[in-house]
Amino acid sequence: MKDRYRILILLVIFIIMVYQLQRRGKEEYQKDSLLLKNNFKMEGIVDSFYVSNNHCFAVIYLNVFQSNVKYFNPKKENNYFPYAINDGKAEIYTQVCASQIDVGDSVLIDSNYRTVYFKTKSIGNHQGEINFVQGDIGYIKEKSKLFPENFIKK
């Protein structure tokens, strides 16, 4: 009988923990969404890119692009935005695999919708979500041409 109560209590504790984690994750997502809604838009052609072995994370370089912003430093306080612009060049930091993108493909970012659209020759059009950069800071520091000094591992 004691074991039944222990199992039941452990199950209830586990359910409460999962609920709390989900709630905190949702709150964090909503907070990030508010910060990312900064009216940033950019459209350009992929000049080159590097894809890491860590869940298809990429640093994408754009030399030909249009944006409603001329300069954007990705580091804002403790957050790293998924895009940067400096000296007529742009970078995007996002989840995309090497087989999903190629040089010459078009990329469109709309921060208000947290989306990145890829218009590709090889697999057609597809869409991804932009998020603050977190786990791939070291990779961006290695590959960034615009702001490598900003990306310091925490």
Side-chain angles (χ1 to χ4, degrees):
M1 196 65 148
K2 277 184 175 180
D3 288 338
R4 278 184 156 179
Y5 287 121
R6 276 189 201 160
I7 291 172
L8 184 62
I9 290 170
L10 289 174
L11 182 62
V12 168
I13 290 172
F14 177 75
I15 290 170
I16 290 170
M17 286 174 38
V18 168
Y19 173 76
Q20 290 295 325
L21 287 172
Q22 284 182 331
R23 194 184 64 147
R24 284 188 187 143
K26 186 177 179 182
E27 288 171 1
E28 189 71 25
Y29 183 85
Q30 289 171 340
K31 181 179 138 195
D32 288 354
S33 288
L34 288 175
L35 290 172
L36 282 169
K37 285 187 178 183
N38 59 359
N39 297 318
F40 180 90
K41 290 185 180 182
M42 179 169 55
E43 185 172 5
I45 307 296
V46 176
D47 180 61
S48 60
F49 61 93
Y50 288 98
V51 178
S52 77
N53 294 327
N54 184 14
H55 306 292
C56 295
F57 182 81
V59 176
I60 302 169
Y61 307 104
L62 309 173
N63 284 337
V64 177
F65 68 94
Q66 293 178 335
S67 177
N68 60 344
V69 175
K70 294 203 182 291
Y71 174 87
F72 193 91
N73 186 329
K75 185 173 183 186
K76 305 286 187 217
E77 297 175 21
N78 293 326
N79 294 315
Y80 295 101
F81 281 78
Y83 37 79
I85 297 175
N86 193 17
D87 291 331
K89 296 179 182 172
E91 292 178 347
I92 301 170
Y93 320 117
T94 191
Q95 300 291 124
V96 66
C97 297
S99 62
Q100 295 177 308
I101 193 167
D102 204 356
V103 172
D105 290 345
S106 296
V107 180
L108 170 69
I109 288 183
D110 189 333
S111 67
N112 288 347
Y113 294 101
R114 291 185 72 162
T115 55
V116 56
Y117 299 97
F118 297 97
K119 297 176 186 174
T120 68
K121 298 171 226 140
S122 59
I123 64 168
N125 300 342
H126 59 97
Q127 167 181 327
E129 183 177 42
I130 58 170
N131 293 297
F132 285 111
V133 180
Q134 294 173 357
D136 298 293
I137 302 301
Y139 187 76
I140 296 172
K141 183 177 176 69
E142 287 176 24
K143 304 300 181 189
S144 176
K145 296 177 184 177
L146 301 182
F147 296 98
E149 67 280 1
N150 283 351
F151 296 96
I152 299 166
K153 273 192 167 181
K154 295 176 183 178

